[in-house]
Amino acid sequence: MYTKLMYLAVDIGGSKTLLAVFDKHGQIIKEQKFPTPKDYQEFLATLISAATALKPDPGFAAIAVAAPGKIDRKSGVALDFGNLPWHDVNLKTDLEPVAGYAPVFIENDANLAGLSEALLVHNQYKKVLYLTVSTGIGDGIIINGIIDPDFADSEPGQMVLEHKGSLQKWEDFASGRALKEKYGKKASEIDDPAIWKEFVKGLAQGIGELVATLMPEVIIVGGGVGAHFDKFGSFLADELKLYENNMVKIPPIIEAQRPEEAVVYGCYDLIKQHL
Protein backbone atom coordinates (compact mmCIF):
# COMPACT_ATOMS: atom_id res chain seq x y z
CA MET A 1 0.00 0.00 0.00
CA TYR A 2 1.25 3.53 -0.75
CA THR A 3 2.40 5.68 2.13
CA LYS A 4 1.95 9.43 2.11
CA LEU A 5 5.42 10.33 0.85
CA MET A 6 6.19 8.74 -2.50
CA TYR A 7 8.84 9.80 -4.99
CA LEU A 8 9.10 9.17 -8.72
CA ALA A 9 12.47 8.49 -10.37
CA VAL A 10 12.73 8.61 -14.16
CA ASP A 11 15.81 7.29 -15.96
CA ILE A 12 15.72 8.31 -19.63
CA GLY A 13 17.95 6.02 -21.67
CA GLY A 14 18.72 5.93 -25.36
CA SER A 15 16.97 2.58 -25.75
CA LYS A 16 14.67 2.32 -22.73
CA THR A 17 13.18 4.51 -20.02
CA LEU A 18 12.77 3.22 -16.47
CA LEU A 19 10.32 4.62 -13.93
CA ALA A 20 10.62 3.69 -10.26
CA VAL A 21 8.38 4.69 -7.38
CA PHE A 22 10.19 5.00 -4.03
CA ASP A 23 8.74 5.17 -0.56
CA LYS A 24 10.18 7.54 2.04
CA HIS A 25 12.62 4.86 3.21
CA GLY A 26 14.24 4.48 -0.22
CA GLN A 27 12.56 1.21 -1.14
CA ILE A 28 11.31 0.68 -4.69
CA ILE A 29 7.59 -0.01 -4.58
CA LYS A 30 6.83 -0.22 -8.29
CA GLU A 31 8.75 -0.11 -11.56
CA GLN A 32 7.81 0.28 -15.20
CA LYS A 33 9.91 0.27 -18.37
CA PHE A 34 9.16 1.23 -21.93
CA PRO A 35 11.24 1.55 -25.11
CA THR A 36 12.33 5.17 -25.54
CA PRO A 37 10.67 6.59 -28.69
CA LYS A 38 12.90 8.72 -30.89
CA ASP A 39 10.17 11.33 -31.30
CA TYR A 40 10.04 13.55 -28.22
CA GLN A 41 6.29 14.18 -28.26
CA GLU A 42 5.64 10.46 -28.49
CA PHE A 43 8.10 9.89 -25.64
CA LEU A 44 6.43 12.55 -23.48
CA ALA A 45 2.96 11.09 -24.02
CA THR A 46 4.22 7.60 -23.11
CA LEU A 47 6.04 8.92 -20.05
CA ILE A 48 3.06 10.85 -18.74
CA SER A 49 0.80 7.85 -19.28
CA ALA A 50 3.19 5.52 -17.43
CA ALA A 51 3.79 7.99 -14.59
CA THR A 52 0.06 8.66 -14.19
CA ALA A 53 -0.59 4.93 -13.87
CA LEU A 54 1.98 4.76 -11.06
CA LYS A 55 0.85 7.94 -9.33
CA PRO A 56 -0.26 7.44 -5.72
CA ASP A 57 -2.99 9.28 -3.86
CA PRO A 58 -2.53 12.19 -3.10
CA GLY A 59 0.34 12.36 -5.60
CA PHE A 60 4.13 12.30 -5.73
CA ALA A 61 5.99 14.34 -3.14
CA ALA A 62 8.79 14.97 -5.65
CA ILE A 63 10.07 13.80 -9.03
CA ALA A 64 13.66 13.42 -10.21
CA VAL A 65 14.53 12.90 -13.86
CA ALA A 66 17.85 11.58 -15.12
CA ALA A 67 18.72 12.77 -18.61
CA PRO A 68 21.71 11.64 -20.70
CA GLY A 69 23.29 14.95 -21.63
CA LYS A 70 23.64 18.61 -20.73
CA ILE A 71 21.25 20.11 -18.20
CA ASP A 72 20.21 23.62 -17.23
CA ARG A 73 19.42 22.73 -13.64
CA LYS A 74 17.86 26.04 -12.71
CA SER A 75 15.29 26.06 -15.51
CA GLY A 76 14.81 22.31 -15.77
CA VAL A 77 15.71 22.36 -19.46
CA ALA A 78 17.64 19.47 -20.98
CA LEU A 79 19.86 21.17 -23.55
CA ASP A 80 21.16 18.08 -25.32
CA PHE A 81 20.40 14.37 -24.95
CA GLY A 82 23.54 12.82 -26.39
CA ASN A 83 22.33 9.74 -28.27
CA LEU A 84 18.75 11.02 -28.53
CA PRO A 85 17.84 13.66 -31.16
CA TRP A 86 16.29 16.12 -28.68
CA HIS A 87 17.44 19.63 -27.81
CA ASP A 88 16.29 22.40 -25.45
CA VAL A 89 13.51 20.35 -23.90
CA ASN A 90 11.83 21.76 -20.78
CA LEU A 91 11.33 18.55 -18.84
CA LYS A 92 10.26 20.34 -15.69
CA THR A 93 7.39 22.13 -17.44
CA ASP A 94 6.45 19.13 -19.56
CA LEU A 95 6.03 16.95 -16.45
CA GLU A 96 3.60 19.33 -14.76
CA PRO A 97 0.57 17.11 -15.61
CA VAL A 98 2.13 14.42 -13.41
CA ALA A 99 3.97 16.59 -10.89
CA GLY A 100 1.19 18.98 -10.00
CA TYR A 101 2.72 21.15 -7.28
CA ALA A 102 5.51 18.68 -6.49
CA PRO A 103 9.09 19.80 -7.17
CA VAL A 104 10.81 18.34 -10.22
CA PHE A 105 14.60 17.94 -10.24
CA ILE A 106 16.58 17.35 -13.43
CA GLU A 107 20.12 15.97 -13.42
CA ASN A 108 22.59 14.17 -15.67
CA ASP A 109 22.23 10.40 -15.45
CA ALA A 110 25.94 9.65 -14.84
CA ASN A 111 26.02 12.14 -11.98
CA LEU A 112 23.04 10.45 -10.38
CA ALA A 113 24.50 6.98 -10.77
CA GLY A 114 27.70 8.29 -9.25
CA LEU A 115 25.82 9.87 -6.35
CA SER A 116 24.05 6.62 -5.58
CA GLU A 117 27.20 4.50 -5.71
CA ALA A 118 29.31 7.05 -3.80
CA LEU A 119 26.83 7.12 -0.93
CA LEU A 120 27.11 3.35 -0.63
CA VAL A 121 30.83 3.69 0.14
CA HIS A 122 30.68 7.11 1.84
CA ASN A 123 31.96 5.79 5.17
CA GLN A 124 35.18 4.70 3.49
CA TYR A 125 35.71 7.16 0.60
CA LYS A 126 34.88 10.87 0.47
CA LYS A 127 36.17 11.71 -3.03
CA VAL A 128 34.70 9.35 -5.61
CA LEU A 129 35.15 9.12 -9.37
CA TYR A 130 32.29 7.14 -10.87
CA LEU A 131 32.62 6.00 -14.48
CA THR A 132 29.74 4.67 -16.52
CA VAL A 133 31.04 2.64 -19.44
CA SER A 134 28.13 1.94 -21.77
CA THR A 135 27.39 3.12 -25.31
CA GLY A 136 29.62 6.07 -24.42
CA ILE A 137 31.62 7.00 -21.33
CA GLY A 138 30.30 9.34 -18.65
CA ASP A 139 31.29 10.22 -15.13
CA GLY A 140 30.10 11.49 -11.80
CA ILE A 141 32.46 13.22 -9.39
CA ILE A 142 31.13 13.04 -5.88
CA ILE A 143 32.81 14.82 -2.97
CA ASN A 144 31.54 14.39 0.59
CA GLY A 145 28.36 12.80 -0.72
CA ILE A 146 27.48 15.68 -3.06
CA ILE A 147 27.70 15.97 -6.86
CA ASP A 148 30.64 18.34 -7.37
CA PRO A 149 29.15 21.41 -9.12
CA ASP A 150 32.50 22.28 -10.70
CA PHE A 151 32.49 19.00 -12.64
CA ALA A 152 28.74 18.40 -12.98
CA ASP A 153 28.91 18.94 -16.75
CA SER A 154 32.12 17.03 -17.41
CA GLU A 155 32.18 14.72 -20.43
CA PRO A 156 35.23 12.45 -20.11
CA GLY A 157 34.21 10.37 -23.11
CA GLN A 158 34.90 13.42 -25.27
CA MET A 159 38.54 13.66 -24.15
CA VAL A 160 40.85 13.52 -27.15
CA LEU A 161 43.72 11.08 -26.66
CA GLU A 162 46.41 9.58 -28.87
CA HIS A 163 45.39 6.06 -29.83
CA LYS A 164 47.17 3.90 -32.36
CA GLY A 165 48.88 6.81 -34.05
CA SER A 166 45.97 9.26 -34.26
CA LEU A 167 43.96 11.57 -32.01
CA GLN A 168 40.61 10.06 -31.08
CA LYS A 169 37.84 10.65 -28.59
CA TRP A 170 38.23 8.30 -25.63
CA GLU A 171 34.78 6.75 -26.00
CA ASP A 172 35.47 6.03 -29.68
CA PHE A 173 37.95 3.33 -28.68
CA ALA A 174 37.10 2.43 -25.06
CA SER A 175 33.28 2.33 -24.76
CA GLY A 176 30.72 -0.42 -25.14
CA ARG A 177 30.02 0.84 -28.64
CA ALA A 178 33.71 0.55 -29.53
CA LEU A 179 33.81 -2.95 -28.06
CA LYS A 180 30.85 -4.03 -30.19
CA GLU A 181 32.27 -2.43 -33.34
CA LYS A 182 35.66 -4.12 -32.95
CA TYR A 183 34.59 -7.60 -31.86
CA GLY A 184 31.00 -7.84 -33.08
CA LYS A 185 29.73 -8.74 -29.63
CA LYS A 186 28.20 -6.98 -26.64
CA ALA A 187 30.00 -7.07 -23.30
CA SER A 188 27.51 -9.66 -22.05
CA GLU A 189 28.53 -11.97 -24.91
CA ILE A 190 32.30 -11.75 -24.40
CA ASP A 191 34.02 -14.29 -22.16
CA ASP A 192 37.42 -14.43 -23.88
CA PRO A 193 40.05 -13.07 -21.43
CA ALA A 194 42.28 -12.05 -24.34
CA ILE A 195 39.60 -9.66 -25.64
CA TRP A 196 39.12 -8.07 -22.24
CA LYS A 197 42.86 -7.75 -21.67
CA GLU A 198 43.16 -5.85 -24.95
CA PHE A 199 40.05 -3.73 -24.33
CA VAL A 200 41.18 -2.42 -20.94
CA LYS A 201 44.31 -0.88 -22.45
CA GLY A 202 42.20 1.88 -23.98
CA LEU A 203 40.04 2.14 -20.86
CA ALA A 204 43.11 2.54 -18.65
CA GLN A 205 44.50 5.29 -20.87
CA GLY A 206 41.62 7.63 -20.14
CA ILE A 207 41.37 6.63 -16.49
CA GLY A 208 45.04 7.43 -16.05
CA GLU A 209 44.41 10.96 -17.33
CA LEU A 210 41.44 11.43 -15.01
CA VAL A 211 43.31 10.17 -11.96
CA ALA A 212 46.20 12.56 -12.59
CA THR A 213 43.74 15.46 -12.84
CA LEU A 214 41.18 14.64 -10.15
CA MET A 215 43.11 12.52 -7.61
CA PRO A 216 40.07 10.50 -6.45
CA GLU A 217 40.17 8.20 -3.43
CA VAL A 218 38.37 5.43 -5.32
CA ILE A 219 37.10 4.70 -8.83
CA ILE A 220 33.75 2.95 -9.25
CA VAL A 221 32.95 1.42 -12.64
CA GLY A 222 29.33 0.97 -13.71
CA GLY A 223 27.18 1.07 -16.82
CA GLY A 224 26.44 -1.68 -19.33
CA VAL A 225 30.08 -2.70 -19.65
CA GLY A 226 30.75 -2.07 -15.97
CA ALA A 227 28.11 -4.66 -15.11
CA HIS A 228 30.66 -7.22 -16.34
CA PHE A 229 33.47 -5.92 -14.15
CA ASP A 230 34.24 -9.45 -12.96
CA LYS A 231 35.45 -10.25 -16.48
CA PHE A 232 37.96 -7.41 -16.78
CA GLY A 233 38.51 -5.79 -13.37
CA SER A 234 41.77 -7.54 -12.58
CA PHE A 235 43.15 -6.83 -16.05
CA LEU A 236 42.23 -3.16 -15.66
CA ALA A 237 43.93 -2.92 -12.27
CA ASP A 238 47.12 -4.43 -13.72
CA GLU A 239 47.05 -2.08 -16.72
CA LEU A 240 46.57 0.98 -14.52
CA LYS A 241 49.79 0.21 -12.65
CA LEU A 242 51.60 1.43 -15.77
CA TYR A 243 50.22 4.92 -15.11
CA GLU A 244 51.34 5.10 -11.48
CA ASN A 245 54.37 7.07 -10.32
CA ASN A 246 55.61 8.96 -7.26
CA MET A 247 53.28 11.87 -7.99
CA VAL A 248 50.20 9.95 -9.11
CA LYS A 249 48.92 6.97 -7.17
CA ILE A 250 46.21 4.80 -8.68
CA PRO A 251 43.35 4.42 -6.16
CA PRO A 252 41.30 1.26 -5.64
CA ILE A 253 39.03 0.50 -8.60
CA ILE A 254 35.82 -1.33 -7.75
CA GLU A 255 32.60 -2.38 -9.42
CA ALA A 256 29.29 -0.63 -8.95
CA GLN A 257 27.04 -2.34 -6.43
CA ARG A 258 23.82 -1.57 -8.35
CA PRO A 259 24.99 -1.12 -11.96
CA GLU A 260 21.54 -1.61 -13.49
CA GLU A 261 19.60 0.59 -11.03
CA ALA A 262 22.21 3.10 -9.85
CA VAL A 263 20.55 5.96 -11.75
CA VAL A 264 17.08 5.61 -10.23
CA TYR A 265 18.55 5.22 -6.74
CA GLY A 266 20.53 8.38 -7.46
CA CYS A 267 17.25 10.11 -8.31
CA TYR A 268 15.94 9.18 -4.87
CA ASP A 269 19.15 10.35 -3.20
CA LEU A 270 18.98 13.69 -5.03
CA ILE A 271 15.40 14.24 -3.92
CA LYS A 272 16.28 13.52 -0.31
CA GLN A 273 19.20 15.92 -0.42
CA HIS A 274 17.06 18.73 -1.85
CA LEU A 275 14.10 18.15 0.44
Side-chain angles (χ1 to χ4, degrees), residues 9-190:
V10 181
D11 176 12
I12 303 173
S15 59
K16 69 178 186 301
T17 294
L18 171 64
L19 287 75
V21 178
F22 285 85
D23 66 16
K24 63 181 180 180
H25 303 295
Q27 299 297 313
I28 295 178
I29 304 303
K30 286 188 176 183
E31 286 186 341
Q32 187 169 336
K33 292 181 182 179
F34 61 85
T36 305
K38 299 304 180 185
D39 178 76
Y40 178 71
Q41 292 304 320
E42 181 183 352
F43 161 78
L44 183 62
T46 306
L47 174 60
I48 290 175
S49 176
T52 300
L54 295 172
K55 190 175 182 179
D57 184 19
F60 296 114
I63 297 174
V65 182
K70 294 182 180 180
I71 309 297
D72 183 331
R73 294 164 183 83
K74 186 175 181 179
S75 67
V77 173
L79 304 173
D80 186 89
F81 277 81
N83 293 319
L84 290 166
W86 309 335
H87 307 279
D88 301 321
V89 171
N90 196 324
L91 285 168
K92 184 176 288 189
T93 298
D94 289 346
L95 282 173
E96 283 182 353
V98 176
Y101 294 102
V104 178
F105 305 104
I106 314 295
E107 185 52 81
N108 172 268
D109 55 357
N111 286 339
L112 290 170
L115 177 63
S116 166
E117 291 292 328
L119 290 175
L120 292 175
V121 297
H122 184 60
N123 289 338
Q124 190 173 1
Y125 304 109
K126 306 304 180 187
K127 189 174 184 180
V128 176
L129 169 61
Y130 173 83
L131 287 175
T132 175
V133 185
S134 297
T135 302
I137 300 177
D139 71 346
I141 299 164
I142 315 300
I143 300 179
N144 294 322
I146 302 293
I147 297 169
D148 187 337
D150 292 330
F151 292 94
D153 294 315
S154 59
E155 290 288 344
Q158 300 299 306
M159 289 192 305
V160 177
L161 305 170
E162 192 280 327
H163 179 69
K164 294 189 175 181
S166 66
L167 294 176
Q168 301 180 38
K169 292 180 182 178
W170 185 30
E171 64 182 30
D172 285 349
F173 62 87
S175 64
R177 170 173 49 82
L179 187 67
K180 177 73 181 299
E181 288 174 354
K182 184 170 183 178
Y183 297 103
K185 296 181 180 180
K186 298 178 181 179
S188 60
E189 302 169 329
I190 299 175

